[in-house]
Amino acid sequence: MTEDRSLEAFRDEVRAFIRESATEEIREAGRKTTSVFAPFKQAMAWQRILADKGWVAPSWPQEYGGTGWSLEQRYVFAQECNRAQMPPILPQNLQMVGPAILGFGSDAQKEELLPRMLSGEDFWCQGYSEPGAGSDLAALKCRADRDGDDYILNGSKIWTTYAQHANKMFALVRTSSEGKPQQGITFLLLDMGLPGMEVRPILGLDGAPEQCEVFFSDVRVPCANRVGEENEGWTVAKYVLEFERGGSTMGAWLVPAVERLREQCEQVDELGQRRLDDPVLARRLEALEIEALAVEHTEKRVNAGLKHGQNPGPMASLLKILGTEVMQRFSELQLEVTGLRSLVYDPGALEIGAAPSDFSEDELLAMPYYMNTRAASIYAGSNEVQRSLLAKAVMAG
Ligand SMILES: Cc1cc2nc3c(=O)[nH]c(=O)nc-3n(C[C@H](O)[C@H](O)[C@H](O)COP(=O)(O)OP(=O)(O)OC[C@H]3O[C@@H](n4cnc5c(N)ncnc54)[C@H](O)[C@@H]3O)c2cc1C
């Protein structure tokens, strides 16, 4: 079989699996995802189905539950999941704390925690950001002071996605104020709900409590829960950032999303008109299609380089900027296409299993999605910071 034909056979296999294994409730949650974070319960149900199949962690080493797929297969898998509008797997377990433990965890931590991460028995939240320490993460102040075999935590975290659902947290904490700020940070694993810990959800612009504040007041965490050495948490955190090595799949999401928007524009309304007949809108849609394809091709080009041992380097920053900006332009056009009926505010209708509404899903979803997408240029390293990295790379080169 040629490589292309075997990839197409793999695509068919993925499609068939999704068709046969995704429940209606999981599909509804996928359609009603207005963020990179899908509705919690159904995202975890889909994770369990994929874990049973052995398909949940394509980027992990095979000996720990990875799939052994090529980068092309991983891309095809992402394309097909997005085309079928499956809920995206929440990244905290498999793309964040998992790689940290794979790279720096003890054998005991690997044995105990990795299987529970894959199955979703544990759900981890990421406790990095603090008020005053987001882009400048090394400025974090949440303190962990040694007391015998424990650390005592005092301080707070903010923007902790889905902390209200999590039973575990991985956190960066300050264990020393000596030397450079990066040198006094430690990577800790902790249980949620420890005495002295409080989680307060934050209501987002889209009406959903997606992020939280977390407060620590004399919270006791055993030193055995440390990943890597004391004061070397920065190295662990940097390793996690590099783990995916640019294996970005934003284009695999954007291309089918823009295809669906085109279908929406082709629908005939009660006056017999189609949005696509507006030449200005048709032109903007075409421009968006080209941009989405450009993201996809750039990702494939980076993947091709990875296969030949190249590091994505500054391309990872370029893809973050390009991908999130196209995503934001997509959300703006979607809002315009949906028109005045997208002004409805009905969070209840977005609940999974809600009774049918007078408004279509497109109408109910366009505004919350637009609102949520404003954050895309901030999270995962703000676009201004990515531009600074690119500028440094160009000026250094
Ligand atoms: C939806 C969402 C989910 C998140 N989930 C999590 C999570 O689960 N866990 C977690 O720990 N964190 C999470 N975060 C936090 C996220 O990582 C931070 O918001 C991000 O790092 C930016 O930090 P900040 O909010 O403190 O903004 P700041 O760093 O204060 O930045 C404010 C503005 O100043 C600009 N700026 C800052 N420094 C520079 C510079 N050197 N040069 C040029 N411009 C600069 C920024 O680009 C931005 O526009 C989440 C954020 C969002 C929006």
Side-chain angles (χ1 to χ4, degrees), residues 35-37 91-92 96 124-137 157-163 169-172 210-212 372 374-388 392:
S35 160
V36 285
F37 303 105
Q92 290 91 326
M96 294 179 174
W124 293 79
C125 62
Q126 179 200 21
Y128 280 15
S129 303
E130 295 179 16
S135 301
D136 183 14
L137 190 56
K157 295 286 171 185
I158 195 166
W159 312 124
T160 321
T161 301
Y162 281 177
M169 173 188 268
F170 59 100
L172 291 177
E210 198 176 84
Q211 278 70 47
C212 296
N372 198 290
R374 299 309 91 196
S377 45
I378 300 173
Y379 57 63
S382 78
N383 286 8
E384 289 81 2
V385 170
Q386 303 296 343
R387 284 195 165 86
S388 294
K392 275 189 208 143

Side-chain angles (χ1 to χ4, degrees), residues 11-288:
R11 189 184 292 282
D12 289 343
E13 190 188 346
V14 173
R15 279 187 185 159
F17 176 72
I18 294 174
R19 210 171 35 242
E20 284 153 21
S21 57
T23 63
E24 192 37 55
E25 188 181 316
I26 292 174
R27 288 175 188 281
E28 184 184 344
R31 290 196 309 275
K32 288 183 173 174
T33 295
T34 54
S35 160
V36 285
F37 303 105
F40 181 75
K41 185 174 149 228
Q42 294 77 17
M44 295 312 278
W46 180 227
Q47 170 160 341
R48 272 191 297 281
I49 291 172
L50 289 174
D52 287 345
K53 175 80 175 163
W55 281 6
V56 79
S59 62
W60 282 25
Q62 247 176 309
E63 57 177 310
Y64 291 109
T67 52
W69 291 340
S70 64
L71 284 167
E72 288 89 346
Q73 283 177 305
R74 280 160 58 175
Y75 207 87
V76 164
F77 179 69
Q79 277 177 326
E80 290 310 316
C81 287
N82 290 327
R83 205 171 292 282
Q85 289 187 275
M86 302 316 295
I89 297 299
L90 301 167
Q92 290 91 326
N93 279 23
L94 305 173
Q95 289 169 33
M96 294 179 174
V97 66
I101 300 214
L102 283 165
F104 292 87
S106 63
D107 288 344
Q109 286 170 338
K110 285 183 191 162
E111 198 179 319
E112 185 199 336
L113 300 173
L114 294 177
R116 297 168 62 93
M117 243 172 240
L118 290 170
S119 66
E121 205 172 338
D122 287 336
F123 175 70
W124 293 79
C125 62
Q126 179 200 21
Y128 280 15
S129 303
E130 295 179 16
S135 301
D136 183 14
L137 190 56
L140 65 86
K141 291 198 171 66
C142 183
R143 270 184 30 228
D145 299 316
R146 269 304 264 275
D147 180 34
D149 289 338
D150 292 339
Y151 289 107
I152 311 283
L153 263 61
N154 278 291
S156 68
K157 295 286 171 185
I158 195 166
W159 312 124
T160 321
T161 301
Y162 281 177
Q164 73 272 44
H165 299 300
N167 64 329
K168 302 265 186 191
M169 173 188 268
F170 59 100
L172 291 177
V173 291
R174 179 150 304 283
T175 34
S176 166
S177 308
E178 307 282 310
K180 286 207 299 192
Q182 288 86 344
Q183 285 166 350
I185 292 173
T186 296
F187 196 105
L188 275 191
L189 309 176
L190 46 141
D191 291 327
M192 299 298 284
L194 289 172
M197 197 168 171
E198 192 195 343
V199 175
R200 287 190 212 151
I202 304 169
L203 205 60
L205 208 53
D206 57 356
E210 198 176 84
Q211 278 70 47
C212 296
E213 289 177 284
V214 183
F215 297 88
F216 304 94
S217 172
D218 289 333
V219 174
R220 198 168 269 276
V221 180
C223 295
N225 286 21
R226 193 179 63 220
V227 177
E229 298 301 321
E230 187 170 284
N231 296 331
E232 291 185 9
W234 194 253
T235 313
V236 182
K238 271 200 322 199
Y239 172 81
V240 173
L241 285 179
E242 284 163 17
F243 185 81
E244 288 283 303
R245 293 180 57 241
S248 154
T249 53
M250 191 94 87
W253 184 88
L254 277 166
V255 171
V258 178
E259 280 168 8
R260 280 194 297 279
L261 186 60
R262 173 171 281 280
E263 282 164 24
Q264 204 182 326
C265 294
E266 281 169 349
Q267 281 164 21
V268 180
D269 67 16
E270 56 275 17
L271 300 173
Q273 288 169 342
R274 304 180 320 153
R275 292 308 311 262
L276 206 59
D277 295 332
D278 172 348
V280 176
L281 189 130
R283 211 184 147 141
R284 284 177 61 197
L285 184 64
E286 274 163 25
L288 194 66

